[in-house]
Amino acid sequence: MLDKNGIAKRIAKELKNGYYVNLGIGIPTLVANYIPKGLEVVLQSENGLLGMGPFPFDGEEDADLINAGKQTITTLPGSAIFDSAMSFGMIRSQKVDLTILGAMEVSENGDIANWKIPGKMVKGMGGAMDLVASAKNIIVAMQHVNKAGESKLLPECTLPLTGVRCIKKVVTELAVLDVLPEGGFRLLERAPGVTTEYIRSVTAGKLIIEGEIPEMQLD
Amino acid sequence: MLDKNGIAKRIAKELKNGYYVNLGIGIPTLVANYIPKGLEVVLQSENGLLGMGPFPFDGEEDADLINAGKQTITTLPGSAIFDSAMSFGMIRSQKVDLTILGAMEVSENGDIANWKIPGKMVKGMGGAMDLVASAKNIIVAMQHVNKAGESKLLPECTLPLTGVRCIKKVVTELAVLDVLPEGGFRLLERAPGVTTEYIRSVTAGKLIIEGEIPEMQLD
Amino acid sequence: MINKTVQNAEEAIKDIEDGMTLMLGGFGLCGIPENTINALVKKGVKELTCISNNAGVDDFGIGLMLQQRQVKKMIASYVGENAEFERQLLSGELEVELIPQGTLATRCMASGYGMPAIFTPAGVGTEVAEGKETRNFNGKEYLMEMAFESDFAIVKAWKGDTAGNLVYRATARNFNPVMAMAGKITIAEVEELVEPGELDPDQIHTPGIYIHRIFQGKNYEKRIEQRTVRQK
Amino acid sequence: MINKTVQNAEEAIKDIEDGMTLMLGGFGLCGIPENTINALVKKGVKELTCISNNAGVDDFGIGLMLQQRQVKKMIASYVGENAEFERQLLSGELEVELIPQGTLATRCMASGYGMPAIFTPAGVGTEVAEGKETRNFNGKEYLMEMAFESDFAIVKAWKGDTAGNLVYRATARNFNPVMAMAGKITIAEVEELVEPGELDPDQIHTPGIYIHRIFQGKNYEKRIEQRTVRQK
C-alpha cells in the first residue's frame, strides 16, 4: 500500500519527455518532486504560468508569483506568463499533454466528481471543469476508498459531476487502473503487498482483471 | 467644391477630444493632417497599433512598423502594439469611437459598398467589413459622383455590399449629409459655392433639405 | 495621448453606486486592486454584484466588502478560505454563482473582443450546463456561454502610463487583462504611474483604449495566502 | 525546458507535403517568415492551401510560391499588389477565398483557444454571409464562423528562445501570434535565437507551448511595400 508520495511517484512514471503537464492541488502537486531525471517536463499552472519552478527559498517569496493552489513558487529559465484567458485557451486547445488531479469519485465510464458535496459548503470548481472537459489525457490521483471506507471507484458517481467520460487512468494507494472507453476499470498494477482480491473488495465499479497483475515498480 | 484635402479638413471637425479613431486608406488618411489643435485623438491602425504617429523622416523608416495601408509610420509616446485578433477585438467591442472610410456607394438606409466591382479583379475587403459591422460611428469620405458622373448616394447600392445600415454621415466634395435611421440623406452643409439645387441634381437617393442649408466652415 | 489619470481611488469610484455590477481582477490575493477595494469599503456602497475569481479572505480583499455586507451576489470560480462568506451564504444573505474558471475568464475576454457568446466544453454533462444551450462541433459537446459585461471593471497592474497602457508583473496578471476589457468603465490602479513613452509599446499587456481611469495606488500590502518555501 | 530547436528552414519543413494547408504570418510584407517561404519554394511542394492575410508581391513573400505554381488555394483578406496572382486567378489556375480581416484573425485565435466557432457581425448582410448561420444577440446580427486549423503554421518573430517562447517587434507582430496558436505543427523563425532565461517571462508574446520547431533565420531582407516618409 502506497502513501501519498508513493502515489505521486507512481504517477510520475507516466510522464514522457516533452510533456506539458497541469498538476492539481493535493497529491498531484507532489508529482513534481518525482519527475524522472533526464525528462524535460514543463508544468503549467492555470493561473497563468508555464514552467513552474520549485518553492522559493525562505525569504525569497514573491507575492506576485503563485501557483493555482495560491502557494508561492518560482519561475525557471524559459518560463512564460500569460493571462487567465490564454491559460485556459491552451488547456481547451489541448496543448497541455497531461492533467493530473484529485477526485472524490470516479465512475467506470470515466465520469469524475470532485467539486461538490450536497449539504456541505461548496467552495467551487475552480479550473477543474475546464481541465477535465478539455484535457486529452487525465490521470486521477486519489485514495481508493473514502473516510467512511466506501469505494471511490463506482459504477456511477453519486456526487454532482465535474466532467463526463474524461478520466483515462486512476492511481490509488492500492492500484493503477485504466478506464476503458467501453466502460470498466482494468487493473494494470497492484501496489506492493496488495492482492487483487483486496482491490476487488474495495472497487465498487466494474473491475476487469486479465491475466497476472504485476506489482508496481516504483524505482 | 472641395478638393480631397478639403474633405479631410471638414471631417476633422467631427473629431472630439479623447476619441480613438480608425482611418481608412485614401482621403481618410489625410484627416490625420487636420486634427484640430488641442484635441487629443488617438489613431488606431487595424494591423495592430494604437497611437499612430506621422510618417518617419527620410532614412528612418522601419520595415517592422507600418500602418494598415502598408506605409511606413512611427509610434508616439504612449503607443501600444498588439496582434490582429486584439485589434479587431477592440474594433468589435466598439472601443474605437469613430471610423472614417471611403466608399464606392452609400445607400439612403446606410448600406455601404466599397470592396468589389463585379467583372473586375477583386482584391478583397481587408478590414472594411469588420469595421463597418462594428463601429458605433462611421463617416464616409468620398466623391459625390463616380467617374462616369453617376451619383454615389443611392436609393440602394448596386454593387456588392460591405455592410448594411451602418453609415451615419457622408462628407463629399459638395456636401455634408446625415444618413437618417428612418432612411434618407439629410443635407447638413454645402461646400463653399455649391447650391442645394446642384447637390439635389447629383444625389440619386432620397435627399432631405429642411430650411436654410449653411455653407461649411472649414477654419 | 489621452490622459486617463485620476487623483486616487476615491475619485476613481466616485460614480459607483448601490446595486452595480463590478468585476475585480486578481487570483486569490494575488494582483487584487487593494486601494480601490479599500475605497469601496470606506464609501460603503451596497447591494453589489461582484465578479471575481475568488472572494478574498476574511480580513483582506473582497472579504473586507463582505464584512460590511456590501455584496449581494458573488460570481466566482472558487470561494474557499472565507468564514464570513460561508456564514452569509448559509444564512441566505449572500447569493453565489459558481462558474468554471476558464469560462469566467473567457466570458470576460469575449466582452472585450466584441463576441456576444463563446463555446466551451467546460461543464458539459454537469449542473453548470443546466438551462444552457449545448452544441456539437466535430463530435464534441460544447456549452454556449454569454459574454460578461460589468458597470465597472477594477484591475491592478504593476506599471501604467497616463494614457492607460498597463504592464502586469508575474502571475499578478491573471484575470486583470481580461477584466480590463470587460468594463463599461474600467479603473486601473498601478504600483507605478509613468508618463507616456516610458513603457515600450511592444511590451504593453493592456492597451490604454480599454482603460478609462488610472491612478497610482499606495501602501500595497500584497498579502501572501499560502507562504510555501524550501530551505537552503 | 523542452528544446524545440531545428537547424534551419529546410529541417523545419521536412515533412510539409503536397496538398497541405499552411498558415503564414505577416501583414503585407511586414513580419513574414522569409526563410521558410524561401525553403518552401526551393522544396517545390505543391497544391498548397495558404492562409495568410495577404499574398505577397510578385517577387517577394508568398508571391514567390505563386510564381512556382505551388499554391492551389489562397485564403486571405486582401490580395492586391500582385500581377501573377491576378493572372492565375483570372485563368482559373488559382482558387481564392476572401475573408474579412478580423474574422480571419479571430478564426485563428479560436483554434488556439479551443473554441470551435466564434460570432462576429463582420459580413452580415453581404455575400460573406451566404450559407452561414446567423444569430441575433441583443438585437444585433452575428455570423457564426468556424475556427481555423492548419497542418502547419509558419510564423516569424523577432526573438525566440529554444523553448519556443516568442517576442515580436512593432507591427511585425500582426497575425503571427494568432497563427502560431492554430497550427497542428507550428514553425517559428526568429531573427535572434537565445537560451531559455534570456527573455523576461512577463514579456513573452507567444508561450513556447504553442511552438513545435524554432530556428534562427538569416539574411532578412524585410522589404518595405510603401516607403512613405516626410522631410526634415
Side-chain angles (χ1 to χ4, degrees):
Chain A
M1 196 155 116
L2 307 177
D3 61 5
K4 287 181 177 183
N5 281 298
I7 296 174
K9 212 166 167 180
R10 174 59 191 83
I11 289 176
K13 295 183 71 177
E14 301 290 318
L15 300 174
K16 293 200 172 72
N17 195 39
Y19 262 20
Y20 291 93
V21 180
N22 183 290
L23 301 178
I25 295 168
I27 300 174
T29 302
L30 300 174
V31 173
N33 301 332
Y34 301 103
I35 297 172
K37 277 257 180 306
L39 283 198
E40 284 292 353
V41 167
V42 177
L43 302 179
Q44 198 251 20
S45 191
E46 69 264 27
N47 56 320
L49 172 64
L50 266 175
M52 182 165 62
F55 297 130
F57 289 118
D58 197 357
E60 295 178 4
E61 315 90 85
D62 179 346
D64 287 338
L65 186 53
I66 65 171
N67 65 16
K70 293 159 197 165
Q71 297 169 310
T72 43
I73 47 152
T74 56
T75 56
L76 295 170
S79 286
I81 286 163
F82 34 85
D83 65 42
S84 299
M86 181 179 263
S87 182
F88 284 93
M90 64 183 66
I91 288 168
R92 270 197 307 271
S93 65
Q94 306 198 320
K95 302 293 176 187
V96 176
D97 298 287
L98 177 62
T99 290
I100 303 170
L101 39 64
M104 298 169 183
E105 297 177 348
V106 175
S107 80
E108 63 189 37
N109 68 355
D111 294 352
I112 176 172
N114 72 347
W115 78 286
K116 185 175 184 178
I117 300 175
K120 276 202 173 181
M121 162 73 184
V122 181
K123 294 189 170 183
M125 67 291 280
M129 282 194 182
D130 307 274
L131 283 159
V132 300
S134 300
K136 53 188 167 191
N137 193 6
I138 307 175
I139 301 178
V140 161
M142 67 174 189
Q143 301 299 319
H144 212 99
V145 298
N146 64 19
K147 283 174 188 165
E150 299 157 341
S151 179
K152 295 167 73 174
L153 291 89
L154 302 171
E156 275 182 46
C157 292
T158 64
L159 296 170
L161 294 181
T162 308
V164 296
R165 306 185 76 84
C166 53
I167 305 304
K168 299 278 191 294
K169 199 182 277 275
V170 179
V171 179
T172 74
E173 78 282 18
L174 304 178
V176 180
L177 309 103
D178 264 356
V179 184
L180 299 181
E182 65 271 25
F185 299 102
R186 183 168 65 188
L187 184 60
L188 297 179
E189 299 174 18
R190 299 171 290 116
V194 174
T195 64
T196 55
E197 289 67 35
Y198 183 66
I199 293 166
R200 190 182 293 281
S201 74
V202 291
T203 303
K206 179 178 175 187
L207 183 68
I208 297 158
I209 302 178
E210 289 171 347
E212 199 66 23
I213 305 300
E215 256 193 18
M216 295 179 200
Q217 302 297 318
L218 288 173
D219 294 298
Chain B
M1 197 154 118
L2 307 177
D3 61 6
K4 287 182 178 183
N5 282 296
I7 296 175
K9 212 166 168 180
R10 174 59 191 82
I11 289 176
K13 294 183 71 176
E14 301 291 318
L15 300 173
K16 293 200 172 72
N17 195 39
Y19 261 20
Y20 291 94
V21 181
N22 182 291
L23 300 179
I25 296 166
I27 300 174
T29 302
L30 300 174
V31 173
N33 300 330
Y34 301 102
I35 297 171
K37 278 255 182 308
L39 283 198
E40 284 292 353
V41 167
V42 177
L43 302 180
Q44 199 252 19
S45 190
E46 68 264 27
N47 57 319
L49 172 64
L50 267 175
M52 182 164 63
F55 297 130
F57 288 118
D58 198 357
E60 295 178 5
E61 315 90 85
D62 179 347
D64 287 337
L65 186 53
I66 63 171
N67 65 16
K70 294 159 195 164
Q71 297 169 309
T72 44
I73 46 150
T74 56
T75 56
L76 296 170
S79 286
I81 285 163
F82 34 85
D83 65 42
S84 299
M86 180 179 264
S87 183
F88 284 92
M90 63 183 65
I91 287 167
R92 269 198 307 271
S93 65
Q94 307 199 320
K95 302 294 175 184
V96 176
D97 298 287
L98 177 61
T99 289
I100 303 170
L101 40 65
M104 299 170 183
E105 298 178 345
V106 175
S107 81
E108 64 189 38
N109 68 356
D111 295 351
I112 176 172
N114 72 347
W115 78 284
K116 184 175 185 176
I117 300 174
K120 276 201 173 181
M121 163 74 185
V122 181
K123 294 189 170 181
M125 66 292 279
M129 283 194 182
D130 307 275
L131 282 159
V132 300
S134 299
K136 54 188 168 192
N137 194 4
I138 307 175
I139 301 178
V140 161
M142 67 174 188
Q143 301 299 319
H144 212 98
V145 298
N146 64 19
K147 283 172 187 166
E150 299 157 341
S151 179
K152 295 168 70 176
L153 291 88
L154 302 172
E156 276 182 45
C157 291
T158 64
L159 296 170
L161 295 181
T162 308
V164 295
R165 306 186 77 84
C166 52
I167 305 304
K168 300 278 192 293
K169 197 180 281 273
V170 179
V171 179
T172 74
E173 79 281 17
L174 304 178
V176 179
L177 309 103
D178 265 356
V179 184
L180 299 181
E182 65 273 23
F185 299 102
R186 183 167 65 189
L187 184 61
L188 297 177
E189 299 173 20
R190 297 171 292 118
V194 174
T195 63
T196 55
E197 288 67 34
Y198 183 68
I199 293 166
R200 188 183 295 280
S201 73
V202 291
T203 304
K206 181 177 175 187
L207 183 69
I208 297 157
I209 302 178
E210 288 171 346
E212 201 67 23
I213 305 300
E215 257 191 19
M216 294 179 202
Q217 304 296 318
L218 287 173
D219 295 297
Chain C
M1 286 290 143
I2 302 162
N3 191 327
K4 312 284 180 82
T5 313
V6 294
Q7 276 309 303
N8 50 33
E10 287 68 32
E11 188 186 341
I13 66 162
K14 64 182 189 300
D15 45 0
I16 294 185
E17 292 167 13
D18 290 359
M20 281 187 167
T21 297
L22 311 184
M23 268 176 197
L24 298 112
F27 184 97
L29 303 179
C30 181
I32 62 173
E34 297 183 18
N35 278 252
T36 311
I37 290 173
N38 290 339
L40 286 166
V41 169
K42 203 169 124 198
K43 179 169 176 162
V45 60
K46 285 193 160 50
E47 297 285 309
L48 300 171
T49 295
C50 290
I51 304 172
S52 190
N53 189 54
N54 313 92
V57 294
D58 275 316
D59 61 345
F60 201 59
I62 294 175
L64 297 170
M65 293 165 69
L66 289 162
Q67 279 190 354
Q68 303 297 320
R69 310 266 207 298
Q70 295 177 270
V71 183
K72 182 184 66 177
K73 182 175 180 178
M74 188 76 221
I75 299 176
S77 89
Y78 190 82
V79 294
E81 280 77 75
N82 195 319
E84 173 62 15
F85 184 97
E86 189 164 348
R87 194 198 62 70
Q88 289 183 29
L89 177 61
L90 296 174
S91 72
E93 291 167 64
L94 178 67
E95 194 183 337
V96 175
E97 184 181 341
L98 294 168
I99 294 181
Q101 196 175 132
T103 302
L104 183 61
T106 313
R107 289 175 68 183
C108 294
M109 190 188 74
S111 182
Y113 273 41
M115 304 189 293
I118 55 103
F119 293 104
T120 175
V124 167
T126 77
E127 63 182 55
V128 165
E130 282 167 23
K132 285 176 190 154
E133 183 174 327
T134 62
R135 186 154 180 152
N136 191 299
F137 292 96
N138 308 314
K140 183 165 177 158
E141 288 291 319
Y142 294 81
L143 299 185
M144 189 170 80
E145 298 272 10
M146 308 306 288
F148 250 140
E149 215 183 38
S150 61
D151 295 311
F152 283 82
I154 302 166
V155 302
K156 149 83 175 35
W158 179 42
K159 290 186 180 181
D161 68 22
T162 59
N165 295 304
L166 303 181
V167 177
Y168 307 92
R169 187 172 171 278
T171 59
R173 191 181 321 183
N174 56 64
F175 279 83
N176 284 298
V178 290
M179 290 185 167
M181 298 191 293
K184 280 180 209 151
I185 297 175
T186 296
I187 297 168
E189 59 173 86
V190 297
E191 292 181 50
E192 190 183 346
L193 184 64
V194 302
E195 290 301 311
E198 292 191 41
L199 302 176
D200 180 349
D202 282 342
Q203 301 296 12
I204 284 162
H205 297 128
T206 298
I209 194 171
Y210 287 112
I211 304 301
H212 302 84
R213 300 171 191 174
I214 190 167
F215 68 93
Q216 181 169 312
K218 53 191 177 189
N219 305 325
Y220 281 102
E221 185 178 339
K222 291 199 185 186
R223 200 184 292 185
I224 292 174
E225 215 162 332
Q226 303 280 345
R227 188 178 304 270
T228 318
V229 298
R230 62 187 157 139
Q231 301 306 319
K232 281 197 195 186
Chain D
M1 286 291 143
I2 302 162
N3 191 328
K4 313 284 180 84
T5 313
V6 294
Q7 275 309 303
N8 49 35
E10 287 68 32
E11 187 185 342
I13 65 162
K14 65 181 188 299
D15 45 1
I16 295 187
E17 293 167 11
D18 289 0
M20 281 188 165
T21 297
L22 311 184
M23 268 176 195
L24 297 113
F27 185 98
L29 303 179
C30 182
I32 62 173
E34 297 184 18
N35 279 251
T36 311
I37 290 172
N38 290 340
L40 286 166
V41 169
K42 202 169 123 200
K43 178 168 176 161
V45 61
K46 285 194 160 47
E47 297 286 308
L48 299 171
T49 295
C50 290
I51 304 172
S52 188
N53 190 55
N54 313 94
V57 294
D58 275 315
D59 60 346
F60 201 58
I62 294 175
L64 297 171
M65 295 165 69
L66 289 163
Q67 279 191 354
Q68 304 297 320
R69 310 265 206 299
Q70 296 177 270
V71 183
K72 180 185 67 177
K73 182 174 180 179
M74 187 76 221
I75 300 176
S77 89
Y78 190 82
V79 294
E81 279 77 75
N82 196 319
E84 173 63 15
F85 184 97
E86 190 164 344
R87 193 199 61 70
Q88 290 183 27
L89 178 61
L90 295 175
S91 71
E93 292 167 63
L94 179 67
E95 196 185 336
V96 175
E97 185 180 341
L98 295 167
I99 293 181
Q101 195 175 135
T103 302
L104 182 61
T106 314
R107 287 175 68 183
C108 294
M109 189 188 75
S111 182
Y113 274 42
M115 304 189 293
I118 56 103
F119 293 104
T120 175
V124 167
T126 77
E127 62 182 55
V128 165
E130 282 167 22
K132 286 178 189 153
E133 182 173 328
T134 63
R135 186 155 179 151
N136 191 299
F137 292 96
N138 308 313
K140 183 165 177 157
E141 288 290 320
Y142 293 82
L143 299 184
M144 188 169 82
E145 298 272 10
M146 308 306 288
F148 251 141
E149 214 183 36
S150 61
D151 295 309
F152 283 83
I154 302 167
V155 303
K156 148 84 175 36
W158 179 43
K159 290 186 182 182
D161 67 22
T162 58
N165 295 304
L166 303 180
V167 177
Y168 308 92
R169 185 171 172 277
T171 58
R173 190 180 321 183
N174 57 64
F175 279 83
N176 285 298
V178 290
M179 290 185 168
M181 297 190 294
K184 281 181 207 150
I185 296 176
T186 296
I187 297 168
E189 59 172 85
V190 297
E191 292 182 50
E192 190 184 345
L193 183 63
V194 302
E195 289 301 310
E198 291 190 42
L199 302 176
D200 180 348
D202 282 342
Q203 301 296 11
I204 284 162
H205 297 129
T206 297
I209 194 170
Y210 287 112
I211 304 301
H212 302 83
R213 301 171 191 174
I214 190 169
F215 68 94
Q216 181 170 310
K218 53 191 177 189
N219 305 325
Y220 281 102
E221 184 179 339
K222 292 199 186 186
R223 200 185 292 186
I224 292 174
E225 215 162 335
Q226 302 281 345
R227 188 178 303 272
T228 317
V229 299
R230 62 187 157 139
Q231 302 305 321
K232 279 197 195 183

